[in-house]
Amino acid sequence: MKKKTTMTVTDIRRLAEGVFSMKLRYPEGDLPEEVKPGQFAGLYPNDPSKLLPRPISICRWDPDTGELQFVFRVAGAGTASLAAQRPGDSVDMLGILGNGYDLEKLAGKRVLLLGGGIGIPPMVELAAALAGRPGTGVTAVMGYRNSDLFLTQELERYGNLLIATEDGSVGTKGNVLDAVREASVRADAVCACGPMPMLRAVKKFAREQGIPAYISLEERMACGVGACLGCVTKTVKTDSHSHVRNARICTEGPVFDAEEVEI
Amino acid sequence: MREGTCGVKPDMSVNIAGVELKNPVMTASGTFGSGMEYSEFVDLNHLGAVVTKGVANKPWEGNPTPRVAEVYGGMLNAIGLQNPGIDVFIERDLAFLKQFDTKVIVNVCGHTEEEYLEVVERLADETVDMLEINVSCPNVKQGAIQFGQDPKCLTDITAKIKKAARQPVIMKLTPNVTDIAEMARAAEAGGADAISLINTITGMKIDIEKRSFVLANKTGGLSGPAIKPVAVRMVWQAAQAVKIPIIGMGGIASAEDAVEFILAGASAVAVGAMNFHDPCLTQKVVDGMEQYLLRHNIQTVRELTGAVQ
Ligand SMILES: Cc1cc2nc3c(=O)[nH]c(=O)nc-3n(C[C@H](O)[C@H](O)[C@H](O)COP(=O)(O)OP(=O)(O)OC[C@H]3O[C@@H](n4cnc5c(N)ncnc54)[C@H](O)[C@@H]3O)c2cc1C
Ligand SMILES: Cc1cc2nc3c(=O)[nH]c(=O)nc-3n(C[C@H](O)[C@H](O)[C@H](O)COP(=O)(O)O)c2cc1C
Ligand code: FES
């Protein structure tokens, strides 16, 4: 069940230059039934001139404390206003949105997680969920700009972690696929979130390896719930909802089988 | 205005072209899908009517992305009327809406007269209460101009649709004209049972860092609170010009906004882009309007239409 909920900020901290972690707690007795890795929420900036929720991926979910963790980059005025919140403040949130990763398809496999920049946060919840599945191996390869890393400790907890940096200051110099090739990582499936050029390269890589790739897409959104048709991506086949070759990233996605979308 | 009795539930019902709505609050086309998406948030049984996303005779792919952009106090959209076509619409969306005790208004779009008429005829035997005709679609025969931007063209298409339609016809006016009163009269002259306004105002946003257009379509329709004063003014001007009922919309964010439209001359209102800000807004507008009537001791919402002095 999707809802607009007034959440309480319990923690906010800077993780790297322009990157913030924010924890939001649900009101007592108002928890969502299920939160899947790869799902997201719409966070409303506390500014009446800004109407639309900001889609931000779920980085961690703790059903015991009722807290969601988000990690976001300040990209504009909306995320800047979120970064200025303090513990005890309220943030309105639309959630939980999107499909998330299909864990059944990944269980028992060697799963390669690829995250680029601000595509890294959702990989933490995914790594945690997969690590709990028997026989499932997790290798996370994360790409950063430079040595200003974030979320590495969290990722190390759930599997092997390899790092690529654009400037070569940590790990492999280059992108995540350079690091994968350097370490000759073997995998049965790949999950990726990051900028479009990276996702295109991941699709090609998975095809060469003959393994499935599940990629998380991004697009400008308005409603976040499938009503406005603002957030579509081109699909290979006619989509069962739209009956044209467009799927809604907020509803059918954001996670898609790379072979089903034209990117 | 007559004096109401304090504490008695006010009468929220309105009658548009012979169709009795339990209250004057509708959804604005394209902002509420077919109702399915928002039925998780609001009980559709509580709404005066659900107005569906524009539907054409065949599926439309719509525009490339980005299709939406936020602007100060509003948003731009250039969805391009993506829709699954009338067959799927009837099978899936209308079937879904039938379960609810609310009126169903189907918004219709097309590139040519024939396309509009095909949809209208296909809906003749369906459980649809009213048709809303979006004349802001480009008229392929007349180049870039929209059906709704030329009074003669608007009267013509209204008359043809009226002839083919089994349900009352609402003509939805575009604000991208010089004289809205003239367009309202043109729709009335063609036999429209009601008019609705306003559709979005054409706008643009430029990313100064990339020095490029934010929307793939370059231009998009502006909606949200930023357009409300323009919409209220146009509803008032249209109300001075015609006798047929008016459905007012444009930036409604609260019950107070809705009352403003009614006072300007609207018989009913529609909530659009602000559903994206608050998915429960339609319900809040219904409740808030009822509170307003109670607070002012007004017995029926109908007394408020055009009551601005
Ligand atoms: C499914 C999904 C998950 C995301 N997860 C994260 C995350 O975990 N961490 C993170 O830092 N960012 C994430 N993003 C990107 C994030 O939504 C944008 O950076 C944010 O909306 C920018 O808002 P702003 O007001 O600061 O920027 P502005 O540029 O001022 O925003 C203006 C408008 O454009 C939209 N917008 C701007 N950039 C983007 C973008 N890249 N994608 C979608 N909409 C955008 C905004 O939502 C807003 O409506 C995600 C995007 C999507 C679609
Ligand atoms: C995303 C979006 C899609 C829309 N699609 C349609 C449509 O299919 N047909 C139509 O007649 N109007 C459409 N509209 C216009 C609205 O119904 C309404 O007239 C306009 O947005 C002004 O109201 P608002 O400011 O409350 O949104 C759309 C508006 C938005 C924001
Ligand atoms: S954001 Fe409205 S359909 Fe996805």
Side-chain angles (χ1 to χ4, degrees), chain A:
Chain A
M1 182 88 170
K2 293 172 199 144
K3 261 191 190 176
K4 184 174 174 182
T5 311
T6 300
M7 308 285 285
T8 306
V9 179
T10 52
D11 185 69
I12 179 131
R13 61 186 68 208
R14 181 185 166 282
L15 299 187
E17 182 62 38
V19 178
F20 290 81
S21 161
M22 181 162 75
K23 284 187 183 165
L24 297 180
R25 196 177 57 219
Y26 274 94
E28 198 97 27
D30 209 12
L31 305 194
E33 294 117 58
E34 195 188 9
V35 178
K36 285 193 261 176
Q39 287 189 300
F40 65 102
L43 302 183
Y44 289 89
N46 279 334
D47 173 346
S49 76
K50 300 198 166 19
L51 316 178
L52 303 177
R54 271 47 183 174
I56 306 286
S57 305
I58 286 155
C59 175
R60 282 321 309 266
W61 161 235
D62 185 343
D64 295 329
T65 61
E67 282 174 314
L68 286 167
Q69 183 186 2
F70 299 93
V71 170
F72 59 90
R73 171 166 285 146
V74 172
T79 41
S81 96
L82 291 170
Q85 301 297 311
R86 291 292 160 258
D89 289 350
S90 297
V91 170
D92 284 340
M93 183 189 89
L94 185 64
I96 300 292
L97 309 177
N99 61 348
Y101 288 93
D102 186 343
L103 295 177
E104 298 313 318
K105 283 192 181 147
L106 300 169
K109 295 202 169 120
R110 293 171 298 174
V111 186
L112 174 58
L113 308 187
L114 302 176
I118 211 62
I120 292 169
M123 293 301 153
V124 179
E125 183 68 11
L126 181 57
L130 291 174
R133 300 262 171 157
T136 311
V138 175
T139 302
V141 183
M142 299 294 135
Y144 300 84
R145 275 183 203 153
N146 49 41
S147 58
D148 201 9
L149 310 178
F150 53 91
L151 296 173
T152 48
Q153 285 176 1
E154 288 79 353
L155 285 160
E156 273 166 348
R157 207 174 298 156
Y158 303 111
N160 298 328
L161 174 66
L162 300 174
I163 290 170
T165 51
E166 283 169 27
D167 67 358
S169 53
V170 185
T172 303
K173 180 171 166 51
N175 60 34
V176 287
L177 287 176
D178 295 329
V180 168
R181 292 199 180 98
E182 193 176 277
S184 347
V185 179
R186 300 239 145 262
D188 307 311
V190 45
C191 299
C193 184
M196 193 48 94
M198 170 186 144
L199 296 181
R200 289 198 186 106
V202 168
K203 178 172 177 171
K204 193 161 159 268
F205 166 81
R207 213 179 248 180
E208 285 161 9
Q209 302 284 312
I211 59 176
Y214 304 102
I215 57 176
S216 182
L217 300 182
E218 225 180 62
E219 187 49 82
R220 303 286 157 142
M221 297 186 174
C223 70
V225 298
C228 74
L229 308 180
C231 66
V232 299
T233 182
K234 275 273 154 255
T235 52
V236 174
K237 293 197 195 117
T238 299
D239 172 72
S240 66
H241 176 267
S242 70
H243 286 262
V244 291
R245 285 175 43 235
N246 282 336
R248 301 166 298 183
I249 291 177
C250 69
T251 303
E252 281 76 48
V255 180
F256 292 91
D257 182 330
E259 290 302 328
E260 288 172 3
V261 288
E262 287 186 358
I263 56 168

Side-chain angles (χ1 to χ4, degrees), chain B residues 10-270:
Chain B
D11 179 1
M12 288 278 282
S13 69
V14 294
N15 188 302
I16 311 267
V19 178
E20 181 91 4
L21 277 63
K22 65 177 73 161
N23 63 58
V25 181
M26 311 180 175
T27 62
S29 175
T31 66
F32 210 73
S34 62
M36 211 178 287
E37 290 77 12
Y38 280 104
S39 62
E40 282 194 54
F41 299 92
V42 279
D43 184 349
L44 303 184
N45 295 305
H46 294 175
L47 302 183
V50 172
V51 183
T52 60
K53 170 77 186 160
V55 63
N57 62 331
K58 298 246 158 58
W60 287 13
E61 293 255 345
N63 289 326
T65 56
R67 290 177 168 187
V68 291
E70 194 183 59
V71 294
Y72 200 94
M75 63 174 283
L76 294 170
N77 91 81
I79 308 295
L81 295 168
Q82 181 187 318
N83 76 85
I86 188 68
D87 293 331
V88 173
F89 175 82
I90 289 174
E91 240 172 76
R92 178 185 63 196
D93 301 335
L94 269 190
F96 168 81
L97 283 169
K98 259 184 222 165
Q99 311 167 65
F100 299 94
D101 175 25
T102 185
K103 299 298 173 196
V104 176
I105 303 180
V106 177
N107 184 283
V108 179
C109 56
H111 298 111
T112 62
E113 249 168 46
E114 293 70 32
E115 289 182 12
Y116 280 102
L117 291 174
E118 188 180 333
V119 178
V120 167
E121 280 159 13
R122 290 277 278 106
L123 289 169
D125 298 318
E126 301 297 331
T127 45
V128 169
D129 296 288
M130 285 194 251
L131 306 176
E132 181 181 59
I133 312 300
N134 178 6
V135 284
S136 308
C137 312
N139 181 341
V140 290
K141 284 196 185 140
Q142 291 192 15
I145 192 167
Q146 301 172 348
F147 284 92
Q149 285 175 326
D150 174 69
K152 197 181 157 300
C153 182
L154 178 58
T155 303
D156 269 10
I157 192 153
T158 306
K160 285 186 179 131
I161 286 171
K162 261 309 281 180
K163 229 169 125 191
R166 199 74 69 76
Q167 297 91 350
V169 172
I170 305 162
M171 297 306 284
K172 181 162 180 180
L173 304 186
T174 167
N176 303 311
V177 296
T178 317
D179 185 355
I180 196 73
E182 186 185 14
M183 303 314 294
R185 279 191 293 265
E188 190 176 44
D193 298 289
I195 51 176
S196 57
L197 66 158
I198 60 175
N199 211 314
T200 55
I201 303 175
T202 307
M204 179 179 280
K205 184 175 180 178
I206 292 169
D207 182 328
I208 62 161
E209 299 305 324
K210 296 186 189 146
R211 300 183 200 170
S212 62
F213 301 99
V214 172
L215 296 175
N217 190 51
K218 298 188 177 77
T219 62
L222 177 62
S223 61
I227 71 170
K228 197 192 75 179
V230 177
V232 172
R233 181 266 293 178
M234 287 193 164
V235 164
W236 180 75
Q237 287 179 326
Q240 306 305 302
V242 296
K243 294 208 169 57
I244 49 177
I246 295 174
I247 299 154
M249 71 196 82
I252 292 178
S254 65
E256 288 71 23
D257 292 343
V259 171
E260 210 177 325
F261 276 90
I262 304 268
L263 290 172
S267 297
V269 294

